[in-house]
Amino acid sequence: MADDYILGNLANEIARLEIQSAFFEPLTRRTLLKAGIKEGMNCLDVGCGAGTVTRMMAQMVGEKGHVTGMDVDENYLLYCQKNSAANTDFIHDDICNSRLAEKNRYFDIIYSRFMFVHLKDMSKAVQSMKRFVKNGGAVVIEELDHAPDSWLCYPENKSVDTLREVYVTLVKKAGGDPFAGRKIYRLLVEESFDASVECNSPCLLMGHEPYNTLGWRIAESLKPQILSFGLLSDQEYTKMYDDLKQLSNDGKSFVTYARFFSIIGRKNS
Ligand SMILES: C[S@@+](CC[C@H](N)C(=O)[O-])C[C@H]1O[C@@H](n2cnc3c(N)ncnc32)[C@H](O)[C@@H]1O
């Protein structure tokens, strides 16, 4: 189990990852198609979490292809194994210190989403991905960037600001980088990838199930950490949580889901 993944792996967090994945599915599918995913390919999903992207990629590569999901957290892997497709397998590994080389496995596409924010050393992960992708293959990374104005709620809502602030603080405390999204393109160029980058800022419409629940679900996943670090008192946490629940039912509001960066790097040498 990864001690530094601040959102944990409890039932609420798995439900949150599934909802978040459904929300980002169209953007991720588009990015993978742009990267050239096709039937028969052998792919890797790094930091697969609940395995939703692994399953989508497995569908895209078809029965002649194969997708491996990798995660440092064994509890997620157990969940993935129970919900897996025939052309997938799951491995317990840390991309920054990977044992893949021993297994002699190389991939057409290596994908990773929402993991880089949690890494202590992003360069190490990029170098590892470069090692395990075939020449002519692609490394594809999608990551958020939690800049101060990137969780935009209209009308303004103080509890959304508080949640962003505690999230950013907790990511930093765990050694991650809440502004990872903007930094990955540069890392790929430095590793001689032929790279492209896109940025989107998708809107969560309040009053529309299930995406309107993502705010309070993040708060719920973070609760133990928020309280144990004393970032909010019990009373302040409850007020933030109640406000977020109320906001989720306000059909006239929306919140932008940070900034979503999609980076594709083609390995040419
Ligand atoms: C926010 S979840 C994202 C899950 C999934 N990619 C998605 O988009 O729904 C991040 C995942 O990365 C995993 N992770 C964090 N550091 C890792 C590392 N060094 N190597 C492999 N997995 C890692 C965590 O255990 C967690 O499951």
Side-chain angles (χ1 to χ4, degrees):
M1 151 108 195
D3 294 332
D4 46 8
Y5 179 49
I6 61 167
L7 292 148
N9 59 12
L10 303 170
N12 172 67
E13 179 56 8
I14 287 181
R16 188 191 73 83
L17 286 179
E18 298 271 8
I19 296 169
Q20 179 181 253
S21 279
F23 182 65
F24 282 100
E25 206 243 42
L27 284 171
T28 291
R29 186 177 289 278
R30 199 183 69 183
T31 306
L32 284 165
L33 288 171
K34 190 173 161 194
I37 194 167
K38 52 178 189 278
E39 286 198 5
M41 278 187 163
N42 182 27
C43 301
L44 175 68
D45 179 17
V46 182
C48 61
T52 42
V53 179
T54 319
R55 290 198 290 278
M56 179 169 90
M57 291 170 84
Q59 227 178 27
M60 294 172 98
V61 299
E63 56 189 28
K64 293 202 181 96
H66 190 85
V67 185
T68 301
M70 174 200 286
D71 208 287
V72 276
D73 189 326
E74 283 181 296
N75 291 314
Y76 278 120
L77 295 172
L78 287 175
Y79 177 83
C80 290
Q81 271 146 4
K82 279 191 207 139
N83 298 283
S84 66
N87 58 345
T88 56
D89 72 324
F90 293 91
I91 53 172
H92 183 220
D93 202 359
D94 175 350
I95 191 63
C96 297
N97 201 7
S98 178
R99 299 183 307 273
L100 268 181
E102 297 159 21
K103 298 183 177 148
N104 215 11
R105 291 175 68 171
Y106 298 91
F107 301 91
D108 297 297
I109 290 187
I110 299 186
Y111 178 84
S112 183
R113 191 177 70 183
F114 304 149
M115 179 192 69
F116 271 66
V117 143
H118 303 290
L119 297 181
K120 293 189 174 72
D121 188 342
M122 293 195 279
S123 307
K124 232 174 167 179
V126 167
Q127 283 156 11
S128 191
M129 289 167 154
K130 184 178 178 187
R131 202 164 337 124
F132 303 127
V133 74
K134 293 176 186 166
N135 279 338
V139 164
V140 183
I141 301 165
E142 301 204 286
E143 191 50 271
L144 297 167
D145 189 298
H146 301 279
D149 61 347
S150 64
W151 294 33
L152 177 71
C153 180
Y154 188 79
E156 197 179 328
N157 184 299
K158 282 266 169 286
S159 289
V160 171
D161 297 338
T162 305
L163 181 62
R164 188 199 70 83
E165 281 157 23
V166 295
Y167 182 71
V168 162
T169 304
L170 288 173
V171 169
K172 285 183 182 165
K173 274 186 185 294
D177 183 347
F179 311 116
R182 73 189 72 172
K183 299 178 184 171
I184 296 162
Y185 170 73
R186 191 179 183 85
L187 292 179
L188 291 197
V189 173
E190 281 170 359
E191 287 297 327
S192 307
F193 282 96
D194 184 2
S196 68
V197 58
E198 250 190 53
C199 180
N200 287 282
S201 203
C203 292
L204 294 170
L205 303 184
M206 298 297 106
H208 291 254
E209 295 274 346
Y211 307 129
N212 60 331
T213 66
L214 283 168
W216 63 257
R217 283 182 187 279
I218 294 173
E220 207 165 292
S221 292
L222 294 175
K223 183 177 179 186
Q225 303 254 17
I226 292 174
L227 297 182
S228 71
F229 282 113
L231 299 183
L232 299 176
S233 66
D234 262 331
Q235 211 180 0
E236 287 165 333
Y237 173 84
T238 304
K239 173 163 180 6
M240 175 182 77
Y241 185 78
D242 291 347
D243 282 354
L244 293 169
K245 274 236 152 146
Q246 203 179 344
L247 173 67
S248 71
N249 294 318
D250 173 7
K252 289 197 281 184
S253 289
F254 70 87
V255 185
T256 59
Y257 201 102
R259 291 200 186 110
F260 181 69
F261 283 88
S262 303
I263 305 105
I264 300 175
R266 180 101 18 223
K267 179 174 161 182
N268 288 323
S269 57

